[in-house]
Amino acid sequence: MGSFARKFQKFIELFQGSSADAYISEILTGLQNTAKIAVVGLLIGIVIGTLIATVRVLPKYKKLPKVLNGICSVYVGFFRGTPMVVQLLLFYFVALPLMGVNIPSVTVACIVFGMNSGAYISEIMRSGILSVDPGQMEGGRAMGLSFGTTMIKIVIPQAVKNILPTLGNEFITLVKETSIVSFIGATDLYVAFRKIGTATYEFMIPYLVMAVIYIVLVLVISLLVKLMERSLRKSDRGR
Amino acid sequence: MIEVVNLTKSFGDLQVLKGIDLTIEQGEKVVIIGPSGSGKSTLLRCLNCMEDPTSGQVLYHGVDLTDMKVDINEQRQNIGMVFQHFNLFNNMTVLDNITLAPVLTQKKKMRKLQRSSKKFGKTDAELKSSAQIKADAKENALKLLERIGLSDKADAYPSQLSGGQKQRVAIVRSLAMNPDVMLFDEPTSALDPEMVGEVLDVMKDLATSGMTMVVVTHEMGFAREVGDRVLFMDDGKILEQGTPDAVFNHPKNSRLQEFLSKVL
Ligand SMILES: Nc1ncnc2c1ncn2[C@@H]1O[C@H](COP(=O)(O)OP(=O)(O)OP(=O)(O)O)[C@@H](O)[C@H]1O
Ligand SMILES: [Mg+2]
């Protein structure tokens, strides 16, 4: 126990020393990147997921939906069937060099996280859309609104409400998964705390603090999702 | 106004409509009766192509709605439909339910007008701003709500309304598009008995105003009172039709006689 206290002391001292600012800014950068990748990833994921889910609930009697369906199946199969680290590495070290483009690693992480979560969200969204009473679509179509308009204005808002808790979980997963972006050289919380550990030859406290930060993040997000759910439920009960 | 020519509809192997011919005149009130499963809803839903007919034609003002080249959404804007289960948009207030489609379709029309006036350099039609469109739609919606005595529910959500109120809102939601025909599929069947009257009153009111109406119903009293013509359907065919008096008091078809002895 005494050694734990000593280690903690050392960790605190680090933040009083001359290079404290550098460490703090490193942690903040990590935190910022985690937030950025998770949020942007989720937004891209929602867009891709909604598009795929919409294709999947399209009436099947025409040719185009069949082709689109095939494409979506391959997409979802790939992103759900391989680890995200692999997708990240493939994209950063294979796809981009082959295309001859150079994009900052954080941006790459945003894109890959978005494409990955799009595959998962498509399944969530599909079940959300199917949970909406088909009468809602009929009501819209009978008024002369197109399939797309009815989907956007009426069905998807109700679907989103139904799946909000699940979407919240997906966001939490994304936040936690950001700890892999160091594989392509982006700074995240792990990189920041590893640096601190390396500087002090002491990893116990830095990684413990890192874990606490992750837990706090997840708790805060859970709380926000709950609040959002409650305000959305207003249209059910009124008042 | 609506002409149905040799219409059939099958769901897989099950043939539900077996050759329907029907003409509906402007201002006519047609009531469809018949036993459960006889194809009444299916026929009604074919009239605005909510179900795609398997064969035959549905001509609306001479336009064949079954033609894939026809913009069905545009045609449906003139054909109101009221469902057994109301199908109000649950994520919107009563007011938004009523104004959604009018605002969207008006805006689309304005965009089209703008484009063509740019192309041809003339603006003979009045161009409305989107704020103006919204304001007009709202005013019209409030007027409609007043007509059915539900002005105080404008900001309520569907879940806060009784069944009868929902159905009345559903009716004026369709009316907000200024349709020239209204289709009703058992509009009172999902209602508690004490609410049937208020909905039928709105429909009678509508009938008096001269609206063309096609109504599938089990309310024989309404059929007698409002109907110009009553169609009896069984097994996917129209077996008998005529004035309410002829159908209810002097039925010729034996299955109609049997049906009436059960429901009257
Ligand atoms: N989408 C569908 N898929 C398969 N079968 C259907 C579908 N819609 C209707 N049917 C079948 O078609 C037949 C006629 O149905 P329809 O709803 O038109 O009858 P109805 O006369 O309106 O009856 P009810 O008075 O019970 O409403 C029924 O046997 C029904 O099971
Ligand atoms: Mg029916």
Side-chain angles (χ1 to χ4, degrees), chain B residues 11 14 16 35-42 186 218:
Chain B
F11 294 106
L14 179 71
V16 176
S36 180
S38 56
K40 306 181 297 291
S41 298
T42 308
E186 302 198 22
H218 292 299

Side-chain angles (χ1 to χ4, degrees), chain A residues 135-136 138 141 144 153 236, chain B residues 45 73 76 87-88 91 159:
Chain A
Q136 297 288 307
E138 292 211 325
R141 296 309 306 274
K153 298 273 180 185
D236 274 352
Chain B
R45 293 162 58 80
N73 295 328
R76 280 187 192 144
N87 296 352
L88 289 179
N91 57 328
S159 57

Side-chain angles (χ1 to χ4, degrees), chain B:
Chain B
M1 176 157 113
I2 297 181
E3 205 183 334
V4 177
V5 185
N6 198 13
L7 178 77
T8 72
K9 173 68 185 176
S10 304
F11 294 106
D13 291 336
L14 179 71
Q15 191 173 28
V16 176
L17 297 180
K18 302 175 177 170
I20 303 274
D21 290 288
L22 174 65
T23 306
I24 295 164
E25 303 295 343
Q26 182 99 38
E28 205 180 7
K29 284 88 183 126
V30 177
V31 179
I32 305 176
I33 60 172
S36 180
S38 56
K40 306 181 297 291
S41 298
T42 308
L43 171 59
L44 197 73
R45 293 162 58 80
C46 281
L47 294 184
N48 63 350
C49 287
M50 293 296 285
E51 301 289 354
D52 284 316
T54 306
S55 73
Q57 288 180 312
V58 178
L59 300 172
Y60 171 69
H61 288 301
V63 179
D64 184 3
L65 299 185
T66 62
D67 186 347
M68 286 309 249
K69 272 174 266 161
V70 168
D71 182 353
I72 189 68
N73 295 328
E74 205 177 306
Q75 298 299 327
R76 280 187 192 144
Q77 286 160 20
N78 303 314
I79 309 175
M81 187 169 213
V82 174
F83 302 85
Q84 184 175 353
H85 295 286
F86 331 123
N87 296 352
L88 289 179
F89 308 137
N90 294 326
N91 57 328
M92 294 180 186
T93 62
V94 165
L95 191 65
D96 290 340
N97 260 278
I98 302 174
T99 55
L100 177 74
V103 168
L104 288 178
T105 48
Q106 283 267 349
K107 276 192 188 167
K108 202 169 164 191
K109 255 179 222 154
M110 282 305 141
R111 276 200 299 274
K112 248 189 213 161
L113 271 179
Q114 253 162 4
R115 235 175 296 145
S116 69
S117 69
K118 252 183 219 147
K119 217 190 266 172
F120 305 113
K122 59 175 183 195
T123 47
D124 38 7
E126 52 165 337
L127 286 176
K128 273 201 234 173
S129 71
S130 105
Q132 188 62 46
I133 290 173
K134 273 185 203 154
D136 288 354
K138 184 175 172 185
E139 195 189 315
N140 187 36
L142 291 175
K143 248 186 235 158
L144 286 165
L145 281 175
E146 201 180 307
R147 192 162 135 193
I148 55 168
L150 288 178
S151 302
D152 55 328
K153 298 290 184 192
D155 295 320
Y157 283 90
S159 57
Q160 296 168 286
L161 304 180
S162 73
Q165 292 172 332
K166 280 184 204 174
Q167 195 60 297
R168 280 144 68 199
V169 170
I171 293 172
V172 295
R173 177 178 70 172
S174 284
L175 289 181
M177 295 293 286
N178 287 319
D180 53 18
V181 51
M182 290 277 287
L183 312 175
F184 294 84
D185 190 2
E186 302 198 22
T188 56
S189 297
L191 298 177
D192 292 338
E194 73 268 22
M195 293 171 183
V196 170
E198 62 189 65
V199 171
L200 290 182
D201 284 344
V202 173
M203 291 171 63
K204 284 175 198 167
D205 194 40
L206 194 58
T208 318
S209 76
M211 178 64 74
T212 313
M213 293 162 74
V214 185
V215 186
V216 174
T217 188
H218 292 299
E219 294 289 329
M220 296 305 155
F222 176 84
R224 260 182 220 269
E225 191 184 331
V226 175
D228 295 321
R229 181 157 47 122
V230 178
L231 307 181
F232 171 68
M233 277 187 78
D234 195 9
D235 197 22
K237 284 180 283 226
I238 298 175
L239 293 187
E240 187 164 340
Q241 55 178 305
T243 61
D245 178 56
V247 170
F248 288 117
N249 300 335
H250 314 285
K252 291 192 243 351
N253 186 287
S254 62
R255 270 195 272 179
L256 172 57
Q257 288 164 357
E258 194 189 325
F259 174 75
L260 289 176
S261 72
K262 276 188 207 142
V263 298
L264 287 182

Side-chain angles (χ1 to χ4, degrees), chain A residues 7-8 10-12 14-15 19-34 178-179 181-182 186-217:
Chain A
K7 284 173 178 172
F8 197 75
K10 209 164 153 193
F11 183 76
I12 297 292
L14 193 72
F15 285 92
S19 46
D21 282 353
Y23 289 127
I24 288 175
S25 91
E26 188 91 5
I27 293 174
L28 287 180
T29 309
L31 212 53
Q32 210 182 352
N33 285 345
T34 293
T178 53
S179 56
V181 297
S182 57
T187 297
D188 67 343
L189 282 178
Y190 162 66
V191 173
F193 282 99
R194 189 187 54 195
K195 255 185 204 164
I196 295 173
T198 314
T200 56
Y201 307 107
E202 169 35 58
F203 290 92
M204 184 190 268
I205 304 296
Y207 285 165
L208 206 56
V209 172
M210 177 177 81
V212 169
I213 293 180
Y214 270 118
I215 289 172
V216 170
L217 271 182

